[in-house]
Amino acid sequence: MAAILSIRDLRKTYDGGFQALKGVSLDIEEGEILALLGPNGAGKTTLISTICGITTATSGSVSVGGFDNVGQFRQARALIGLVPQEITLEPFTKVLDTVTFSRGLFGKPASPALVEDVLRKLSLWEKRDSRIMDLSGGMKRRVLIAKALAHEPRILFLDEPTAGVDVELRKDMWGIVRELKADGVTIILTTHYIEEAEAIADRVGVITGGELLLVEEKEQLMARMGQKQLEVQLTAPVTAIPAALAQHNLQIVNGGDALLYTYDTRAERTGITTLLNDVAEAGLVLADVQTRESSLEDIFVGLVSGGKASGGAVSGDAA
Amino acid sequence: MNWTAVATIYRAEMARFWRTFLQSFISPVLSTSLYFVVFGSAIGSRIQEVDGVEYGAFIVPGLVMLSVITQSISNASFGIYFPKFIGNIYEILSAPINFLEVVAGFVGAAATKSLFIGTVILCTASLFVDLSIQHPLAMVAFLVLTCLSFSLMGFIIGIWAGNFEQLQLVPLLVVTPLVFLGGSFYSISMLPPVWQTITLFNPVVYLVSGFRWAFFGQADVPVLLSLGAIGGFTLACMAVIWWIFKTGWRIRA
């Protein structure tokens, strides 16, 4: 697949001297969902703002669909839809009017049919004559998405689309994102909810301190860096690990009620069979066994706290 | 030029005007009527004529200028400050439009509104006094140019302003005094010689004088100088706005 968005060594230093982006390079392929994951203040919003033309880059370049976002800003920006993080809508306007406005602002001829289609997809059609101030928070977010989609962009930026929304609405939003992807829209979303990236992204980029630590297929990332844990629950508690089990690197958890075994899912042998045999030989009686995969969150915490991607800096807490 | 975008911004700005049409219409009618009752009738009855023109009629150009200038500034400054305040200016900054198109939409709408109000005031005034317009074309030209140039200035103020107080500051502290002291209600020749010289540094003098010339054929300063002054002012505002968009001052980080 061809890159629809190419970012090269993008740097941004604000007037106060704060370096928000320290040379970010990134290619985004057409039709994918990329989640930019990072803590607050990592540079996620600055990155999006710089691509969209709201912030001026200090150096570096951005090419959108082959158009430079400064020199050919008209062609470049026409391809982009932006959903901002904050709810920024004029309270007194009506839903239909503000969405129609967004289409016109991008120079597209009026198309009531298309606007209706967008509003219907976002379950806003019934609310088309409502004023923004009369809508719920969730509806307002949908209006922001409708505005961004009104000019038929090929790339959609969602800046923290689910920050501060309840679980149900978040799932709703994920559904919308998946539908958009099915329509062929490339989606770049920022989030600090790992769950979100895990649920909908094809690729995950981790950004912190203005640097992109890594960009990788979500599945690969989790497989490469993911660890699995096996918790062996015992009928009678132990105070020390029996000598026969020393070679397995076990941890005692739950006050001695369980033993925790950490293994690599990608290794040729996980060592589980040997472990369970050894447990039985040591005279311990199993009550139950449980396995747990390390989540993207574990990987993320490992990355951000450990600086640059080191491949194995993953720690998993006892379940 | 992305004319669709210009028309879109223009229409959205005008929509705000139509929403509050009644107050947009009634307030200038009322204030003009009050000026005529106070200045035209109560005070004007004691003043015979100014430069051969009946006082009630003499103040009409100044009155129109006063309203048009303040309305242009407040309409345009509010128009661009509001999206800045709400935050939806992101949409304008990320749209495929350049500064000329943004300005054409916002300033065009603000100028249209004040042009409308200026016309309403003229119509109201004609109910009170016998208005003769000697140079109708020049009158229209001065009116349109004033609406445009002060809307441009308002646009700059709207971008500069960091809060609602600052939005009021320049109109209140600078523009209103300049307009009142700019010969709206008197002829410069009525002032002591020293003040006649000082007053020539007030740019509004040239506007009011030129506008009055269009009505009565008499001016405090040569009419071409008036035209040059307002033309120069328009260009200066355009240059400032061009610089604002080039550098992103106060709008683009």
Side-chain angles (χ1 to χ4, degrees):
Chain A
M1 275 192 290
I4 192 164
L5 182 66
S6 276
I7 302 163
R8 288 287 166 273
D9 199 27
L10 200 64
R11 290 169 195 274
K12 173 66 186 175
T13 307
Y14 284 105
D15 286 344
F18 176 68
Q19 221 183 333
L21 295 176
K22 300 172 183 167
V24 172
S25 295
L26 176 64
D27 280 325
I28 290 155
E29 286 167 6
E30 182 147 25
E32 73 170 331
I33 301 181
L34 177 87
L36 279 173
L37 206 54
N40 290 326
K44 303 187 295 285
T45 300
T46 302
L47 180 59
I48 287 187
S49 300
T50 311
I51 296 168
C52 295
I54 296 168
T55 307
T56 331
T58 308
S59 68
S61 69
V62 177
S63 151
V64 187
F67 301 107
D68 183 75
N69 81 328
V70 178
Q72 298 163 296
F73 74 96
R74 283 187 199 269
Q75 294 95 323
R77 290 186 194 171
L79 298 174
I80 297 177
L82 169 64
V83 182
Q85 185 174 345
E86 306 284 337
I87 292 177
T88 47
L89 292 164
E90 214 179 303
F92 308 108
T93 49
K94 291 178 178 171
V95 172
L96 186 64
D97 292 343
T98 191
V99 175
T100 308
F101 171 83
S102 297
R103 184 173 169 83
L105 192 62
F106 274 71
K108 291 272 174 114
S111 170
L114 185 127
V115 171
E116 178 178 342
D117 189 45
V118 168
L119 288 178
R120 280 192 189 281
K121 266 188 191 152
L122 292 161
S123 317
L124 283 170
W125 182 244
E126 309 302 319
K127 297 277 183 188
R128 62 189 179 278
D129 289 323
S130 301
R131 290 192 297 179
I132 300 296
M133 56 194 284
D134 298 328
L135 299 180
S136 68
M139 285 288 178
K140 285 180 192 160
R141 279 194 189 268
R142 286 165 184 267
V143 173
L144 287 175
I145 298 180
K147 280 168 76 71
L149 291 174
H151 68 274
E152 305 158 84
R154 282 170 62 202
I155 306 172
L156 186 69
F157 284 95
L158 293 155
D159 196 359
E160 308 256 358
T162 59
V165 295
D166 62 37
V167 177
E168 201 167 325
L169 188 61
R170 186 172 304 166
K171 297 255 160 82
D172 240 31
M173 206 65 87
W174 295 349
I176 292 170
V177 170
R178 288 195 191 99
E179 274 174 38
L180 289 173
K181 179 189 157 84
D183 289 345
V185 181
T186 306
I187 294 158
I188 294 122
L189 64 94
T190 69
T191 181
H192 55 257
Y193 297 115
I194 285 110
E195 190 196 359
E196 190 154 283
E198 208 164 344
I200 54 175
D202 298 316
R203 281 202 303 162
V204 177
V206 177
I207 183 168
T208 184
E211 285 176 284
L212 201 58
L213 296 185
L214 64 79
V215 185
E216 210 169 314
E217 297 284 328
K218 179 184 69 184
E219 306 295 339
Q220 269 179 26
L221 178 69
M222 291 187 61
R224 181 166 71 83
M225 305 187 74
Q227 290 180 324
K228 218 164 172 181
Q229 290 179 319
L230 174 76
E231 189 178 302
V232 179
Q233 291 170 2
L234 308 168
T235 49
V238 292
T239 48
I241 292 169
L245 300 175
Q247 52 154 332
H248 295 293
N249 256 336
L250 300 176
Q251 281 174 273
I252 297 178
V253 291
N254 289 356
D257 281 335
L259 297 172
L260 193 68
Y261 174 58
T262 305
Y263 60 98
D264 186 353
T265 47
R266 313 241 304 165
E268 217 159 276
R269 296 180 66 92
T270 57
I272 294 176
T273 318
T274 330
L275 172 75
L276 292 181
N277 279 336
D278 289 351
V279 167
E281 270 176 33
L284 300 175
V285 183
L286 302 185
D288 200 0
V289 287
Q290 262 185 5
T291 62
R292 188 176 88 84
E293 259 177 302
S294 64
S295 66
L296 205 48
E297 176 146 20
D298 300 323
I299 297 171
F300 176 68
V301 169
L303 270 176
V304 172
S305 59
K308 288 277 184 187
S310 56
V314 181
S315 64
D317 282 333
Chain B
M1 278 296 262
N2 188 341
W3 288 110
T4 312
V6 175
T8 302
I9 297 175
Y10 182 86
R11 269 200 304 270
E13 285 300 298
M14 290 308 287
R16 207 195 328 268
F17 180 65
W18 299 126
R19 273 204 296 270
T20 54
F21 178 73
L22 214 58
Q23 72 199 64
S24 311
F25 180 78
I26 287 177
S27 108
V29 171
L30 185 72
S31 61
T32 312
S33 305
L34 284 174
Y35 274 115
F36 274 108
V37 170
V38 175
F39 287 102
S41 305
I43 298 173
S45 60
R46 291 161 188 271
I47 302 172
Q48 290 306 309
E49 279 182 343
V50 180
D51 296 344
V53 180
E54 187 203 339
Y55 186 67
F58 178 82
I59 62 169
V60 171
L63 263 183
V64 173
M65 277 291 160
L66 175 67
S67 291
V68 159
I69 288 174
T70 44
Q71 286 287 334
S72 297
I73 288 181
S74 76
N75 283 332
S77 61
F78 186 77
I80 189 69
Y81 178 72
F82 197 52
K84 247 180 59 174
F85 176 72
I86 291 196
N88 60 347
I89 193 157
Y90 82 87
E91 219 182 348
I92 287 158
L93 295 178
S94 63
I97 48 178
N98 66 12
F99 94 97
L100 263 178
E101 289 148 359
V102 177
V103 171
F106 277 101
V107 171
T112 308
K113 292 176 205 174
S114 39
L115 196 60
F116 170 82
I117 287 161
T119 311
V120 168
I121 292 173
L122 270 181
C123 295
T124 313
S126 68
L127 300 176
F128 288 89
V129 291
D130 184 23
L131 266 187
S132 63
I133 303 171
Q134 290 196 9
H135 308 281
L137 270 180
M139 193 278 282
V140 172
F142 267 110
L143 193 59
V144 170
L145 266 175
T146 307
C147 290
L148 264 180
S149 58
F150 280 87
S151 294
L152 286 168
M153 183 182 170
F155 190 85
I156 297 170
I157 292 170
I159 285 178
W160 164 78
N163 53 47
F164 278 102
E165 283 73 32
Q166 288 181 345
L167 208 57
Q168 305 289 344
L169 207 65
V170 176
L172 214 62
L173 290 185
V174 182
V175 177
T176 309
L178 283 184
V179 176
F180 268 88
L181 299 175
S184 299
F185 299 108
Y186 53 83
S187 167
I188 290 176
S189 58
M190 293 158 87
L191 296 173
V194 180
W195 284 101
Q196 286 194 25
T197 313
I198 292 174
T199 217
L200 287 177
F201 289 97
N202 180 352
V204 179
V205 165
Y206 299 88
L207 284 182
V208 174
S209 165
F211 199 45
R212 192 173 282 142
W213 171 85
F215 280 82
F216 310 120
Q218 297 165 4
D220 287 330
V221 292
V223 65
L224 279 179
L225 191 59
S226 291
L227 207 59
I230 188 166
F233 180 59
T234 309
L235 288 177
C237 288
M238 282 301 282
V240 172
I241 293 174
W242 174 81
W243 173 83
I244 284 174
F245 275 84
K246 193 175 151 60
T247 60
W249 183 72
R250 298 231 169 173
I251 49 168
R252 191 174 266 141

